[in-house]
């Protein structure tokens, strides 16, 4: 990658890490479900009028919007509202890569290789260490909700893999429209209209800035940059930068929010980030990484996991198979494109018997005329 593009990748991951601190600021001023609804509303409007509608079925847009917006971010915001530290949330959320592999294995039949099983074990060991450390000093319910948010992120990754959008940025903008209404209704039912109205009436510059940051900077701007990098380079070159997100998240939370980072939390970070790295990437095969999602013809990568706010794309290179439009399997010698045997094979021209070795060199045997071939 060019140095300027490396700097952009680091900038995006830094913004996604700091985004957890901004979320914490927003949660001090808005009920969590209302904050999530406002975030998606501002991210979708007016951007939805500036990008074309993705050429995928509505069910995929609705499914990803429900899993990512209502499931992932709804649970993440509520979990942080209940006391889950911002830095720890940025770390635990990276377990989405493990959940993506497990869900893809159950739903799509993608069997993980032994090295990925090792990565899954390391990542879950990191989550366990973090849970024990958090259980000794913080609410386990908030921790559990963030783990569930990572699982819902895995669901959205698999749904995005099935949708295979040709325009990742346009797909994400339209996905942002979906959770606005469900999150607003849930906020009215759970948090109450009085709390929502009070938050909206008392909005200040910090609250407005938090909404604009998580919507326009962390979502629209960063996702546009990340998508452009993925169009320019293989996913295996871009995705590793996403592992910097918890580094920036934990560092910024310690710097701006005064969160302490215990020794056990660092152990959890090493285990979880290391496990995600092992789980997310595969060794090169035939000059290309099999996990790149890039066809042999060099078509655009299919992004299995698209980043929103604070989202990594490690699972975008998660072995999701051949992209649509990938190079076709070469037609075996002796067959036509319609799978109908051709009139002569190289072996027959040398006097070979069908299925046997070639005979001695000599004039070719006469081939009986073949009538018109009916294509099925």
């Amino acid at each position: 990658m060019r140095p300027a593009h490396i700097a952009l990748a680091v900038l995006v991951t830094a913004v996604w890490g700091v985004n957890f601190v901004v979320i914490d600021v927003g949660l001090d001023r808005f009920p969590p479900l209302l904050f999530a609804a406002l975030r998606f509303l501002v991210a979708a409007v007016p951007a939805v009028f500036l990008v074309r509608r993705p050429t995928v079925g509505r069910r995929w847009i609705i499914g990803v919007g429900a899993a990512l917006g209502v499931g992932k971010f709804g649970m993440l915001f509520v979990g942080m509202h209940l006391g889950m530290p911002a830095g720890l949330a940025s770390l635990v959320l990276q377990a989405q890569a493990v959940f993506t592999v497990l869900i893809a294995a159950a739903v799509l039949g993608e069997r993980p290789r032994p090295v990925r099983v090792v990565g899954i074990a390391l990542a879950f060991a990191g989550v366990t260490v973090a849970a024990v450390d958090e259980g000794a000093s913080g609410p386990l319910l908030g921790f559990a909700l963030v783990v569930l948010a990572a699982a819902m992120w895995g669901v959205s990754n698999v749904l995005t893999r099935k949708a295979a959008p040709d325009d990742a940025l346009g797909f994400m903008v339209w996905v942002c429209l979906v959770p606005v209404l469900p999150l607003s209704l849930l906020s009215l039912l759970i948090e109450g209209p009085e709390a929502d109205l009070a938050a909206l009436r008392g909005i200040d510059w910090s609250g407005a800035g938090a909404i604009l940051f998580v919507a326009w900077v962390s979502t629209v701007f960063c996702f546009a940059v990340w998508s452009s990098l993925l169009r320019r380079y293989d996913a295996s070159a871009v995705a590793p930068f996403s592992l910097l997100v918890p580094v920036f998240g934990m560092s910024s939370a310690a710097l701006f929010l005064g969160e302490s980072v215990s020794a056990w939390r660092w152990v959890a970070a090493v285990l979880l980030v290391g496990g995600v790295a092992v789980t997310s990437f595969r060794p090169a095969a035939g000059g290309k990484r099999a996990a790149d999602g890039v066809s042999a013809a060099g078509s655009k990568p299919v992004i299995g996991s698209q980043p929103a706010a604070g989202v990594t794309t490690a699972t975008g290179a998660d072995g999701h198979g051949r992209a649509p439009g990938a190079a076709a399997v070469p037609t075996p010698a002796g067959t036509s494109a319609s799978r109908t045997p051709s009139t002569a094979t190289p072996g027959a021209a040398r006097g070979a018997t069908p299925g046997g070795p070639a005979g001695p060199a000599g004039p070719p045997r006469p081939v009986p005329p073949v009538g018109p071939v009916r294509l099925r």
Side-chain angles (χ1 to χ4, degrees), residues 10-374:
V10 174
L11 173 64
V12 169
T13 57
V15 170
W16 283 335
V18 174
N19 187 60
F20 287 88
V21 174
V22 179
I23 291 173
D24 192 80
V25 172
L27 291 174
D28 287 337
R29 290 157 175 82
F30 301 97
L33 295 176
L34 175 65
F35 185 37
L38 292 173
R39 168 261 174 88
F40 283 107
L41 176 63
V42 176
V45 179
V48 71
F49 299 109
L50 305 176
V51 298
R52 65 178 178 85
R53 183 181 180 277
T55 56
V56 298
R58 290 182 180 179
R59 69 182 186 278
W60 300 118
I61 297 176
I62 295 173
V64 174
L68 186 67
V70 181
K72 179 210 168 181
F73 280 102
M75 292 183 181
L76 172 65
F77 284 17
V78 173
M80 292 181 64
H81 176 73
L82 293 177
M84 180 68 166
L88 186 59
S90 71
L91 173 65
V92 173
L93 206 60
Q94 305 313 309
Q96 56 86 18
V98 176
F99 285 112
T100 301
V101 173
L102 295 176
I103 295 170
V107 177
L108 304 179
E110 298 178 358
R111 297 180 58 186
R113 300 178 305 113
V115 68
R116 282 190 169 177
V117 175
V118 174
I120 291 172
L122 285 174
F124 271 118
V127 172
T128 302
V129 172
V132 173
D133 181 61
E134 180 65 11
S137 58
L140 276 178
L141 179 57
F143 184 94
L145 285 174
V146 175
V147 173
L148 289 176
M152 293 305 300
W153 191 0
V155 172
S156 72
N157 289 340
V158 174
L159 291 177
T160 304
R161 152 77 174 99
K162 294 290 290 183
D166 59 341
D167 179 7
L169 177 59
F171 181 74
M172 180 54 61
V173 169
W174 280 80
V175 160
C176 286
L177 276 176
V178 175
V180 175
L181 182 58
L183 286 170
S184 300
L185 293 176
L186 286 173
S187 179
L188 289 173
L189 292 173
I190 298 174
E191 297 162 346
E194 295 82 6
D196 290 350
L197 288 175
L200 293 174
R201 288 171 180 169
I203 190 171
D204 56 10
W205 286 107
S206 297
I211 294 174
L212 293 177
F213 186 92
V214 298
W216 288 354
V217 179
S218 183
T219 302
V220 179
F221 169 74
C222 286
F223 191 78
V225 172
W226 196 259
S227 298
S228 68
L229 292 175
L230 286 168
R231 284 193 298 269
R232 184 181 294 268
Y233 301 102
D234 288 348
S236 60
V238 180
F241 287 95
S242 64
L243 297 178
L244 295 174
V245 172
V247 176
F248 286 114
M250 295 176 68
S251 301
S252 60
L255 179 63
F256 296 110
L257 301 178
E259 292 184 2
S260 61
V261 183
S262 65
W264 283 111
R265 194 164 295 181
W266 282 118
V267 172
V270 171
L271 289 173
L272 202 154
V273 173
V276 168
V278 173
T279 302
S280 301
F281 309 113
R282 292 201 276 185
K288 287 281 188 180
R289 288 190 179 274
D292 285 348
V294 181
S295 70
S299 59
K300 292 181 180 179
V302 174
I303 309 305
S305 153
Q306 300 299 344
V311 178
T312 72
T313 52
T315 54
D318 198 26
H320 291 324
R322 187 185 302 275
V329 178
T331 305
T335 62
S336 66
S338 62
R339 298 188 182 180
T340 305
S342 61
T343 56
T345 63
R350 295 193 304 269
T353 59
R365 295 183 180 180
V367 179
V370 178
V373 179
R374 178 174 297 175

